Amino acid sequence: MSYIPNIELLMPAVDMSAMRAQGAGGQNVNKVSSAIHLRFDIAQAALPEYVKSRLLSGKDKRVTTEGILIIKAQSHRTQEMNKQDALDRLAEILTEAGKLQKARRATKPSKSSQTKRMDSKTKSGQVKSLRKKVDY
């Protein structure tokens, strides 16, 4: 079981603002505020606690020390497409944080794998012994 985010329920914790995109793009990029700066307040959001703790664990550089996830979308020409891109990326991040890892069970190598390993070590040792100087 993993967490699947419902973006409509999380919208109170989302703050989006439009700004000019960076980089080359001609006249359009200099005149139109098509880039979206999405700020997601993790503490305010209606998320399960384990998802919040994973997001706030400090491994993601997009999360500030105040607990705000920042996503900048500027790959598309229109503001609407950049908004959708930012929300899709937010949903992807939340889904990834909500995945539960399987508990690891300790296992031992099989008897045949141990035997094969020891045989290969013996064989390589014999090959190395053939490289030594020969006594007459």
Side-chain angles (χ1 to χ4, degrees):
M1 185 177 137
S2 64
Y3 175 72
I4 299 170
N6 185 350
I7 296 297
E8 285 79 29
L9 294 176
L10 300 174
M11 287 310 283
V14 173
D15 177 39
M16 283 193 260
S17 58
M19 58 190 211
R20 290 188 180 160
Q22 294 175 326
Q27 293 175 341
N28 188 61
V29 77
N30 297 327
K31 292 190 291 187
V32 182
S33 296
S34 61
I36 295 295
H37 203 230
L38 184 142
R39 296 172 64 82
F40 179 69
D41 191 354
I42 297 168
Q44 183 185 354
L47 294 171
E49 285 303 315
Y50 73 95
V51 176
K52 285 184 184 182
S53 64
R54 276 213 188 134
L55 288 171
L56 295 171
S57 67
K59 294 178 182 173
D60 196 345
K61 291 182 176 145
R62 293 171 289 194
V63 178
T64 64
T65 54
E66 293 85 31
I68 296 175
L69 174 70
I70 298 174
I71 298 173
K72 186 176 179 183
Q74 61 180 10
S75 59
H76 300 285
R77 255 180 94 90
T78 63
Q79 196 177 93
E80 291 77 28
M81 288 180 75
N82 281 329
K83 275 185 186 178
Q84 190 59 47
D85 181 38
L87 289 173
D88 290 345
R89 283 165 48 194
L90 174 64
E92 186 178 311
I93 290 168
L94 293 176
T95 303
E96 195 63 37
K99 284 185 181 175
L100 295 175
Q101 287 185 328
K102 289 182 185 176
R104 186 188 179 282
R105 290 188 303 173
T107 58
K108 290 197 303 187
S110 65
K111 191 74 172 171
S112 67
S113 69
Q114 289 177 350
T115 308
K116 285 178 188 175
R117 180 175 160 268
M118 296 313 290
D119 289 345
S120 71
K121 286 168 75 76
T122 305
K123 185 178 177 185
S124 66
Q126 288 172 348
V127 168
K128 288 181 179 183
S129 69
L130 293 173
R131 295 185 196 144
K132 291 181 182 177
K133 287 185 180 180
V134 179
D135 291 334
Y136 291 107

